[in-house]
Amino acid sequence: MTKQQILDAYAFRHACKAFDSDKKISDDDFELILETGRLSPSSFGFEPWQFLVMQNPVLREKLLPLVCGQQQVPTASHLLITLSRRGDSLKPGSDYLTGFMQDVQKLPAEIVKMKGDFYALFHRELFQLAGDERKIADWAAKQTYLPMANMMTTAALLGVDSCPIEGFKQQEVENFLAQEIELDLTTFGVAHITAFGYRKAEPARAKTRRAAADVVQWY
Ligand SMILES: Cc1cc2nc3c(=O)[nH]c(=O)nc-3n(C[C@H](O)[C@H](O)[C@H](O)COP(=O)(O)O)c2cc1C
């Protein structure tokens, strides 16, 4: 891949407002998109996310008023709702994190102890999350933007369009998922939605960004 091809993919990616609902992303391409989300980095490697691929048209119709009528939701080839972890499972010493370090990260007992102690220090002193549920949930949610970005870039490299979506009634979407798919709201919240598909029309406006010199300072 050339440098120009990388830049072309970033220029191609735009917040697509409506997709051609007749065009479907191949299973192969969508699996690759998801895989680059799964491989994304996270703080301590704890992956505080889950990905829901929402393909059921009835559920998508019900979602529409909760996403302010945004047409990406019914027209997307694939609609991804990213959940972020919250609550007790993220607290230092939780059974969930201990199990994660043992079973997923395959760490030996002494490293689980060391890492757990450092995580507790991080919570208490470095980021001062301890005792503040909202801060802990926001810390986890921030991380979910990494898989989102990686998946949109992968999509663009494959010629697939996307749209990141935060324009939705967060609490209502969470309640909807609790009702429809029994989402456990003590453990997960909805971080954001990402729609993938093929553009119905070219973007209405050319991409604008601040000049590089206005964004980057070197010291
Ligand atoms: C976290 C986040 C949430 C966004 N939410 C929406 C949204 O709800 N609806 C929408 O059409 N675009 C949404 N956007 C797209 C931005 O408006 C868009 O990325 C920005 O204007 C830059 O344009 P470009 O992506 O086409 O280059 C969102 C972008 C981000 C990063």
Side-chain angles (χ1 to χ4, degrees):
M1 169 163 297
T2 65
K3 291 174 186 168
Q4 190 56 50
Q5 284 171 320
I6 295 171
L7 281 175
D8 288 347
Y10 276 83
F12 170 86
R13 191 216 55 76
H14 71 292
C16 186
K17 304 298 177 201
F19 298 95
D20 180 342
S21 42
D22 292 333
K23 288 195 189 156
K24 294 289 167 226
I25 303 168
S26 71
D27 291 348
D28 217 36
D29 280 0
F30 198 69
E31 264 169 39
L32 180 64
I33 290 168
L34 282 177
E35 185 64 354
T36 59
R38 190 181 74 91
L39 291 173
S40 297
S42 57
S43 187
F44 291 86
F46 286 154
E47 306 171 36
W49 50 65
Q50 293 292 131
F51 305 130
L52 305 180
V53 186
M54 187 60 67
Q55 299 303 78
N56 182 322
V58 177
L59 292 181
R60 285 207 205 170
E61 268 314 309
K62 287 187 187 172
L63 259 180
L64 194 54
L66 312 183
V67 297
C68 313
Q70 297 200 68
Q71 284 306 305
Q72 297 93 325
V73 166
T75 61
S77 164
H78 290 69
L79 188 75
L80 192 78
I81 300 181
T82 301
L83 305 178
S84 64
R85 196 168 270 280
R86 62 187 180 194
D88 288 346
S89 68
L90 282 181
K91 291 184 182 155
S94 75
D95 289 347
Y96 172 76
L97 291 181
T98 304
F100 193 96
M101 287 187 274
Q102 288 164 348
D103 304 336
V104 179
Q105 298 182 324
K106 313 254 182 262
L107 299 175
E110 69 275 16
I111 306 293
V112 169
K113 167 86 177 71
M114 269 172 56
K115 187 166 175 169
D117 288 348
F118 184 62
Y119 183 65
L121 177 81
F122 172 79
H123 258 244
R124 223 175 32 244
E125 291 175 27
L126 303 188
F127 260 48
Q128 301 183 343
L129 306 174
D132 189 331
E133 297 289 336
R134 178 67 195 253
K135 267 192 177 179
I136 297 171
D138 285 347
W139 169 75
K142 279 193 297 189
Q143 298 173 51
T144 67
Y145 289 78
L146 295 169
M148 180 212 238
N150 286 337
M151 287 189 272
M152 291 195 300
T153 300
T154 305
L157 287 163
L158 295 168
V160 171
D161 289 300
S162 61
C163 188
I165 299 176
E166 267 185 346
F168 59 88
K169 298 170 186 163
Q170 194 175 34
Q171 183 86 60
E172 290 185 32
V173 172
E174 288 176 357
N175 292 341
F176 164 81
L177 293 175
Q179 199 176 339
E180 297 287 348
I181 64 160
E182 296 180 11
L183 178 67
D184 171 11
L185 296 182
T186 59
T187 309
F188 290 104
V190 173
H192 42 75
I193 300 173
T194 319
F196 296 94
Y198 293 96
R199 64 189 73 184
K200 192 168 182 196
E202 290 306 309
R205 297 180 67 236
K207 196 181 280 297
T208 60
R209 288 297 188 270
R210 290 176 293 157
D214 295 335
V215 181
V216 185
Q217 286 88 40
W218 292 67
Y219 295 99

